[in-house]
Amino acid sequence: MTDPSELDAKIAEDVADALIYSDRSGTIMRWNRAAAALFGFSATEALGQNLDLIIPEHLRAAHWKGFEAALASGAMKLAGRPTLTRALHKSGRKLYIEMTFALVRDSGGNVLGSVAMARDVTERVERERAAKAPPQTS
């Protein structure tokens, strides 16, 4: 495989973390195998859909405010820093996920969209919360 774009596509498809790329309108344009496994939606189901597909309703306003601010300023407050948040699985179950974000730019520096890498940390968060919970008394 000598074509760099073919290699890039293969890497993006095969990384262990979910990779989601959305354009400036928030439309999902890239959805790898790990994203399908994490969120339950196949690439066919997710591609062309709005990011609201995986954002719980109570977090949507904050998400879009941050998304629009990042597109307008060309900078992200959370760039490169893992962020714990909630997400929706196709089944309706809420997940705890850790995400990192970056803006994607063309060769002229114009923002094309946003990419996120995500991993499921639901078990870890629930274990940590259970360990901090006061003991139950009968």
Side-chain angles (χ1 to χ4, degrees):
M1 187 178 306
T2 56
D3 177 8
S5 64
E6 244 183 80
L7 179 59
D8 290 348
K10 187 75 178 126
I11 291 168
E13 185 59 27
D14 292 341
V15 293
D17 288 339
L19 181 141
I20 304 131
Y21 168 74
S22 69
D23 64 13
R24 292 181 63 91
S25 71
T27 301
I28 299 168
M29 304 301 288
R30 187 79 166 99
W31 185 265
N32 72 354
R33 224 184 327 250
L38 176 59
F39 298 108
F41 295 97
S42 68
T44 304
E45 292 171 306
L47 293 173
Q49 297 297 312
N50 186 279
L51 287 169
D52 284 347
L53 183 71
I54 58 170
I55 302 169
E57 194 168 334
H58 73 282
L59 295 176
R60 290 178 186 166
H63 163 80
W64 291 112
K65 182 179 177 189
F67 187 87
E68 293 299 327
L71 293 180
S73 69
M76 295 182 126
K77 271 198 304 195
L78 302 173
R81 290 197 321 253
T83 304
L84 180 65
T85 190
R86 299 301 302 261
L88 284 177
H89 186 272
K90 181 180 179 178
S91 68
R93 175 172 56 97
K94 286 196 178 122
L95 307 167
Y96 284 100
I97 60 171
E98 196 169 74
M99 298 187 92
T100 55
F101 305 93
L103 293 174
V104 177
R105 300 170 189 276
D106 66 15
S107 58
N110 301 305
V111 176
L112 299 173
S114 173
V115 65
M117 299 287 287
R119 66 178 47 161
D120 187 356
V121 294
T122 304
E123 285 183 26
R124 183 190 82 202
V125 170
E126 289 176 350
R127 209 173 34 249
E128 289 169 358
R129 289 190 173 178
K132 289 179 187 175
Q136 297 286 329
T137 58
S138 28

